[in-house]
């Protein structure tokens, strides 16, 4: 347990609505990540952050934005949710980039 | 562009050692081998990583062949709680991204 919490843990929303998922860490780690996991695709990186206000895109970033205004919080926003964004979303942290990553418990998002 | 190949599934008897193979024949000199597992509905859990020497921690041992083209994760005394999907990942030490493949579904049976 690396002190990572995600909220909400479950959410059902309608197509076209904005959704924000929150990842919170208690240990001031510099690097934070957002992944999504879908059957048959494993985990895929959406966005990552290497410091406050420093973020970059991962391999599946279309339709997602992120923000990091404080070290402890990394927000993932779906500006207009689509059914293809139904997934389980995991947040992760690592100390310096390249070392092992520790994952949160996940958020299950359903877009109807 | 899968960098690793793992068997899709394997069974193991409780209390016995579980040996999980991974092929990574195109591994580069600056790439490490990482192992993670994911127990149903939970976030992935880091297990161990290594470059070329064998490694051991409280969870498992990692054996990397001399040519580094394959490795084996060893769970020394498997328990029912070790039932999970195990992922072998190759990445450079300073690479921010983890690329998870399909992994090996390990079922530990009583």
């Amino acid at each position: 347990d690396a002190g990572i919490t995600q909220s909400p843990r479950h959410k059902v929303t309608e197509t076209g609505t904005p959704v924000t998922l929150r990842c919170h860490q208690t240990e001031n780690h510099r690097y934070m990540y957002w992944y999504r996991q879908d059957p048959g695709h494993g985990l895929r990186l959406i966005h990552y952050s290497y410091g406050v206000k420093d973020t970059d895109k991962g391999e599946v970033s279309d339709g997602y934005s992120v923000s990091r205004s404080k070290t402890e919080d990394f927000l993932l926003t779906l500006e207009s949710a689509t059914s293809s964004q139904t997934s389980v979303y995991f947040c992760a942290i690592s100390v310096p980039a390249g070392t092992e990553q520790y994952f949160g418990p996940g958020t299950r998002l359903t877009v109807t | 562009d899968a960098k690793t190949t793992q068997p899709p599934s394997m069974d193991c008897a409780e209390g016995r050692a579980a040996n999980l193979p991974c092929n990574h024949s195109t591994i580069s000199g600056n790439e490490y081998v990482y192992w993670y597992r994911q127990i149903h509905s939970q976030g992935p859990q880091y297990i161990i990583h290594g470059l070329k020497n064998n490694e051991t921690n409280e969870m498992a041992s990692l054996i990397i062949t001399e040519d580094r083209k394959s490795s084996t994760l060893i769970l020394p005394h498997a328990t029912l709680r070790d039932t999970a999907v195990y992922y072998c990942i190759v990445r450079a030490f300073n690479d921010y991204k983890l690329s998870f493949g399909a992994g090996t579904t390990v079922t530990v049976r009583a």
Side-chain angles (χ1 to χ4, degrees), chain A residues 49-90:
Chain A
S49 170
Y50 46 96
V52 173
K53 300 191 188 303
D54 293 322
T55 65
D56 207 347
K57 297 179 179 179
E59 60 182 309
V60 289
S61 59
D62 288 347
Y64 301 94
S65 62
V66 290
S67 65
R68 192 160 177 210
S69 58
K70 298 184 291 184
T71 299
E72 59 265 36
D73 288 327
F74 191 31
L75 304 181
L76 176 72
T77 298
L78 292 65
E79 301 290 349
S80 178
T82 68
S83 59
S84 66
Q85 294 175 313
T86 292
S87 188
V88 180
Y89 292 85
F90 289 101

Side-chain angles (χ1 to χ4, degrees), chain A residues 31-53:
Chain A
Y31 291 86
M32 299 184 75
Y33 310 81
W34 276 108
Y35 291 86
R36 61 177 287 175
Q37 186 172 33
D38 306 291
H41 287 280
L43 275 85
R44 293 180 290 174
L45 181 66
I46 305 171
H47 281 279
Y48 69 103
S49 170
Y50 46 96
V52 173
K53 300 191 188 303

Side-chain angles (χ1 to χ4, degrees), chain A residues 33 37 90 98 100-101 103, chain B residues 34 36 38 46 91 93 96:
Chain A
Y33 310 81
Q37 186 172 33
F90 289 101
E100 57 268 29
Q101 293 184 12
F103 287 78
Chain B
Y34 285 77
Y36 285 76
Q38 188 172 25
Y46 165 78
R91 63 184 285 207
F93 187 73
Y96 60 85

Side-chain angles (χ1 to χ4, degrees), chain B residues 9-53:
Chain B
S9 64
M10 62 183 295
D11 286 358
C12 177
E14 188 178 22
R16 302 294 294 270
N19 296 291
L20 283 64
C22 180
N23 287 320
H24 31 79
S25 58
T26 61
I27 192 169
S28 300
N30 67 338
E31 289 181 320
Y32 286 68
V33 180
Y34 285 77
W35 282 85
Y36 285 76
R37 73 180 183 183
Q38 188 172 25
I39 297 170
H40 181 62
S41 297
Q42 298 181 19
Q45 178 187 22
Y46 165 78
I47 300 173
I48 199 168
H49 74 278
L51 181 62
K52 56 182 179 180
N53 298 321

